[in-house]
Amino acid sequence: MVREVKWTKYLWLSLLSFGAFMLEYLSIFVIEGIFLRMDIQNYTTHQRSIHCIIMIFMWAFFIGALLLFSRKYYYFPVRGDKRDKLSLKNWIVTLVCFIGCKIITFIDWHTLKVVGEAQGKTVFQFCAQYLYYMFEVMLVVLIIIYGQKAIETLLKKESSIPFGGIILAVTWGGFHFVSRGAGLEIWNGISTMIFSVLSGVMYLQLNRKYLYSYLFIAMGYLL
């Protein structure tokens, strides 16, 4: 018999997933600053790729450990969770949210993000950057999944309100107001918060299917 898990346990896993972004500071100031003698203020393009690779390994280890812990002690996320087939309405709302995400990235880049990111980069540098983004999106999806589960456990029912996306907006989205270290960046924060809520809606509209959710959120962020 599976024992009941308190909603705060899931909330802590959601917040811990957000906390994994702070591992970047460990990489910058300890691994790169002390051991590799790299200065974040004077990154070369090659050094930026090295930073991405370090973060890929750190995030991969964290994600693997978190999922193993969650599966062992909380039996969540459920493997092969089969839900109802997606309706036409589900796909339409998902597509609208996806288009909203692309509008935001187009405003930021004045082109498709993937096109803007490819400019001035070698194949290796581009691949390192995009692998970094792919693992970043994994953390984003984990925040949504555990955040949604936390509030629904508290309410003792599933909800159509994107609580996971709201938690993502408050944490990851809110952090983007100051994430670049160049003072308060209003649009960067607001756009990321909007993207967060849209991602939370897509997760629900895709019937909480983890792979589908990851693919659509990743495409909304990376393309």
Side-chain angles (χ1 to χ4, degrees):
M1 182 175 180
V2 179
R3 63 184 178 84
E4 183 179 354
V5 179
K6 293 182 179 180
W7 70 276
T8 52
K9 301 291 187 181
Y10 296 117
L11 181 61
W12 274 115
L13 289 180
S14 181
L15 297 177
L16 190 61
S17 297
F18 167 65
F21 287 110
M22 302 305 114
L23 290 173
E24 197 144 16
Y25 292 107
L26 175 64
S27 175
I28 290 170
F29 296 112
V30 178
I31 298 175
E32 298 167 43
I34 296 177
F35 295 105
L36 300 181
R37 303 295 183 183
M38 290 163 49
D39 181 7
I40 186 176
Q41 301 298 331
N42 299 290
Y43 265 168
T44 65
T45 307
H46 181 68
Q47 288 175 333
R48 171 65 189 174
S49 297
I50 293 175
H51 170 76
C52 290
I53 292 171
I54 293 172
M55 290 312 306
I56 288 166
F57 280 103
M58 293 179 74
W59 282 341
F61 178 81
F62 171 85
I63 292 168
L66 182 77
L67 290 175
L68 285 174
F69 175 86
S70 177
R71 280 283 303 156
K72 180 177 181 180
Y73 293 101
Y74 305 148
Y75 304 97
F76 182 82
V78 179
R79 293 177 182 172
D81 187 14
K82 295 183 179 179
R83 293 176 174 268
D84 296 336
K85 291 183 179 180
L86 299 175
S87 67
L88 178 60
K89 179 184 176 182
N90 290 137
W91 285 115
I92 291 174
V93 176
T94 299
L95 182 60
V96 170
C97 291
F98 174 78
I99 292 173
C101 292
K102 295 323 303 166
I103 290 173
I104 290 173
T105 58
F106 192 86
I107 292 173
D108 287 337
W109 288 89
H110 307 293
T111 183
L112 291 176
K113 180 181 174 71
V114 66
V115 174
E117 288 281 8
Q119 295 176 2
K121 291 185 176 71
T122 65
V123 174
F124 168 75
Q125 291 162 351
F126 177 80
C127 290
Q129 182 70 64
Y130 260 67
L131 280 173
Y132 169 96
Y133 285 146
M134 289 170 68
F135 278 89
E136 181 179 14
V137 175
M138 288 183 195
L139 292 176
V140 163
V141 172
L142 288 177
I143 294 171
I144 293 174
I145 289 173
Y146 287 114
Q148 189 72 31
K149 182 67 173 179
I151 304 304
E152 289 179 345
T153 301
L154 174 64
L155 298 175
K156 300 185 185 306
K157 64 177 182 179
E158 290 191 342
S159 173
S160 60
I161 300 174
F163 291 114
I166 293 170
I167 291 174
L168 179 65
V170 173
T171 54
W172 185 65
F175 181 69
H176 275 73
F177 281 101
V178 295
S179 63
R180 295 175 181 172
L184 189 63
E185 297 189 52
I186 302 298
W187 170 246
N188 191 34
I190 291 176
S191 63
T192 309
M193 293 182 81
I194 294 172
F195 176 88
S196 298
V197 175
L198 291 175
S199 296
V201 173
M202 286 194 286
Y203 171 65
L204 295 181
Q205 290 300 316
L206 292 167
N207 286 347
R208 298 171 171 80
K209 295 179 185 292
Y210 311 129
L211 179 58
Y212 283 10
S213 298
Y214 175 80
L215 290 176
F216 272 89
I217 293 171
M219 288 189 298
Y221 188 53
L222 301 181
L223 291 184

